[in-house]
């Protein structure tokens, strides 16, 4: 399953994650035509995997990215008769945001390296923020050193050893009864040995930092549910229930590499093909078709579609009136007044939510 990356965190105070102010600062992403370059690998020839994304509005306005992303493609919007490209902002933590604007759905394409392992050509000049540690029980560092014995000198080999240990020896659960709010990591690693994905990702990040490996905690979404009824073919629906947390490890020469230490017990699985699920997939496919063909347009284009539908309706009424005489004039009919009504309601809702 694909890890849809939202944001990353570098600072852990023993209870929660946050972003350092310097790393959270965002800069405007360089754009060439409709292409926004996220790394220096943008434009380099080679095989790429393309993802088409229809993303409902998030707060904050983050754009989700799969591992290995190097390019985002996004067509311009019409504003007041002009075509205007959106401004995208990228932080040093590789969090990609768009400018805040009233919208229900945003469409973009992501090009990624087919291995999906790292953000290519990302080079960190300062790794100190990714080695920061809070005050820890010394048993956590001892545990980490035991797991990397014989793993090899590279950061990735040590990361694989720690991830395998956590997946094999700890249990996924959403039942956190008995877990302390004061020392959640110590409780997870040394006492309860069970927790949800954030416990696993935090444990791996801190254990690696304790042995000198730069790492950071990442949040986003994992996988999604396959839908076979899409107008353009199969697709995946990613919902809030797919929210997830994992780890990125820095390896010199490779960049940030994705690791997920959470055992598979936390995933919902494919599920059965029940009639209720099939009906739900049909509804979702209908909603996606509506979003792709109507909502994903900018407001100016929606107004143009509405005006075109209204003008076509009026022309039909005039033409039908000429052919059928006074009787039609007394009781005019339109072939698709619901289109204009539906678009008018959609635009009104969008304006209310803006």
């Amino acid at each position: 399953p694909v890890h849809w990356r939202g944001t990353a965190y570098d600072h852990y105070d023993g209870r929660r994650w946050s972003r350092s102010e310097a790393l959270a600062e965002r800069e405007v992403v360089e754009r060439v035509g409709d292409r926004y370059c996220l790394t220096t690998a943008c434009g380099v020839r080679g095989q790429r995997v393309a993802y088409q994304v229809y993303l409902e509005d998030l707060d904050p306005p983050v754009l989700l990215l799969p591992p290995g992303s190097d390019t985002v493609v996004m067509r311009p919007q019409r504003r007041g008769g002009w075509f205007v490209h959106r401004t995208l902002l990228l932080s040093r933590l590789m969090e990609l945001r768009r400018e805040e604007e009233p919208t229900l759905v945003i469409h973009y394409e992501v090009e990624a390296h087919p291995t999906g392992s790292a953000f290519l050509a990302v080079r960190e000049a300062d790794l100190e923020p990714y080695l920061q540690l809070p005050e820890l029980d010394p048993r956590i560092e001892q545990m980490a050193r035991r797991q990397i014995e014989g793993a090899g000198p590279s950061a990735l080999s040590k990361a694989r050893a720690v991830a395998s240990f956590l997946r094999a020896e700890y249990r996924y659960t959403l039942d956190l009864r008995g877990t302390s709010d004061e020392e959640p990591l110590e409780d997870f690693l040394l006492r309860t040995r069970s927790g949800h994905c954030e416990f696993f990702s935090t444990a791996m990040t801190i254990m690696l930092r304790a042995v000198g490996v730069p790492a950071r905690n990442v949040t986003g979404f994992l996988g999604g549910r396959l839908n076979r009824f899409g107008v353009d073919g199969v697709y995946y629906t990613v919902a809030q229930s797919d929210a997830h947390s994992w780890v990125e490890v820095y390896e010199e020469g490779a960049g940030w590499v994705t690791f997920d230490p959470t055992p598979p017990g936390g995933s919902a699985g494919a599920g059965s093909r029940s009639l209720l699920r099939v009906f739900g997939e049909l509804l979702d496919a209908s909603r996606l078709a509506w979003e792709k063909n109507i909502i994903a347009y900018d407001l100016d284009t929606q107004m143009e579609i509405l005006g075109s539908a209204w003008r076509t309706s009026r022309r039909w009424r005039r033409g039908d009136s000429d052919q059928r005489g006074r009787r039609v004039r007394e009781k005019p009919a339109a072939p698709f007044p619901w289109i204009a009504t539906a678009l008018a309601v959609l635009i009104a809702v969008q304006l209310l939510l803006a």
Side-chain angles (χ1 to χ4, degrees):
V2 175
H3 288 79
W4 291 98
R5 190 185 195 280
T7 190
Y9 300 89
D10 65 294
H11 188 270
Y12 184 65
D13 65 4
R15 298 178 62 185
R16 61 181 61 86
W17 286 97
S18 62
R19 293 183 290 268
S20 300
E21 184 175 343
L23 297 183
E25 292 181 356
R26 291 177 285 273
E27 297 183 356
V28 175
V29 180
E30 177 186 355
R31 178 180 58 82
V32 179
D34 294 343
R35 301 169 64 84
Y36 297 80
C37 298
L38 306 183
T39 74
T40 55
C42 176
V44 176
R45 291 185 178 181
Q47 187 179 4
R48 292 290 187 274
V49 176
Y51 298 83
Q52 295 286 338
V53 182
Y54 289 85
L55 181 65
E56 294 183 358
D57 194 21
L58 298 177
D59 183 20
V62 174
L63 298 186
L64 301 179
L65 300 172
S69 299
D70 56 44
T71 306
V72 167
V73 181
M74 189 179 299
R75 67 183 182 88
Q77 285 187 309
R78 290 190 60 184
R79 297 180 184 172
W82 297 87
F83 285 98
V84 180
H85 282 90
R86 290 180 172 91
T87 298
L88 300 187
L89 304 169
L90 186 67
S91 74
R92 286 176 56 190
L93 288 165
M94 291 298 290
E95 178 192 78
L96 182 65
R97 293 192 182 192
R98 58 176 175 81
E99 58 184 340
E100 295 196 31
E101 57 184 331
T103 186
L104 295 179
V105 174
I106 187 168
H107 171 230
Y108 58 98
E109 180 179 314
V110 183
E111 296 178 2
H113 192 276
T115 62
S117 62
F119 286 96
L120 302 179
V122 175
R123 299 293 178 264
E124 298 289 349
D126 181 13
L127 293 174
E128 283 301 315
Y130 308 112
L131 294 170
Q132 173 269 334
L133 287 169
E135 185 176 343
L136 292 174
D137 187 310
R139 289 177 292 175
I140 293 179
E141 181 179 343
Q142 295 167 9
M143 178 186 292
R145 294 199 177 280
R146 286 196 301 270
Q147 303 315 313
I148 65 170
E149 289 179 0
S154 73
L156 299 188
S157 62
K158 295 174 182 177
R160 281 190 286 268
V162 173
S164 297
F165 165 70
L166 291 172
R167 283 194 296 265
E169 301 296 331
Y170 290 76
R171 183 175 63 90
Y172 180 91
T173 182
L174 295 176
D175 184 359
L176 302 181
R177 287 176 295 182
T179 301
S180 167
D181 291 335
E182 297 300 321
E183 296 181 329
L185 179 60
E186 285 81 353
D187 273 359
F188 172 71
L189 283 175
L190 304 175
R191 192 169 64 83
T192 66
R193 302 177 72 88
S194 63
H196 54 62
C197 58
E198 189 172 346
F199 284 91
F200 283 89
S201 63
T202 297
M204 179 174 176
T205 302
I206 296 304
M207 289 176 69
L208 288 174
R209 289 183 178 188
V211 295
V213 176
R216 60 192 183 190
N217 194 61
V218 183
T219 59
F221 299 86
L222 175 64
R225 187 178 291 273
L226 179 68
N227 191 311
R228 297 170 174 81
F229 298 107
V231 175
D232 301 320
V234 298
Y235 67 94
Y236 284 88
T237 300
V238 180
Q240 184 63 39
S241 58
D242 299 309
H244 195 54
S245 180
W246 61 93
V247 181
E248 286 178 350
V249 176
Y250 187 76
E251 171 82 336
E252 192 68 39
W256 290 102
V257 182
T258 298
F259 284 88
D260 193 339
T262 303
S267 61
S272 62
R273 295 287 294 172
S274 66
L275 181 61
L276 184 60
R277 180 178 171 185
V278 170
F279 182 67
E281 290 179 3
L282 286 168
L283 286 179
D284 188 79
S286 300
R287 184 173 66 90
L288 177 62
W290 175 256
E291 290 174 347
K292 289 174 64 174
N293 293 293
I294 299 297
I295 298 180
Y297 286 116
D298 53 79
L299 187 57
D300 284 352
T301 304
Q302 291 174 359
M303 293 297 292
E304 182 177 321
I305 294 173
L306 175 60
S308 176
W310 183 255
R311 288 191 297 272
T312 301
S313 177
R314 292 187 62 186
R315 284 197 299 270
W316 184 91
R317 289 198 300 268
R318 287 197 299 268
D320 193 52
S321 173
D322 291 341
Q323 293 177 17
R324 296 171 61 187
R326 183 174 300 174
R327 182 181 55 184
V328 176
R329 292 192 188 97
E330 293 171 353
K331 190 177 181 179
F336 45 84
W338 64 271
I339 294 181
T341 303
L343 285 171
V345 171
L346 169 67
I347 294 170
V349 170
Q350 181 165 337
L351 290 173
L352 286 172
L353 296 176

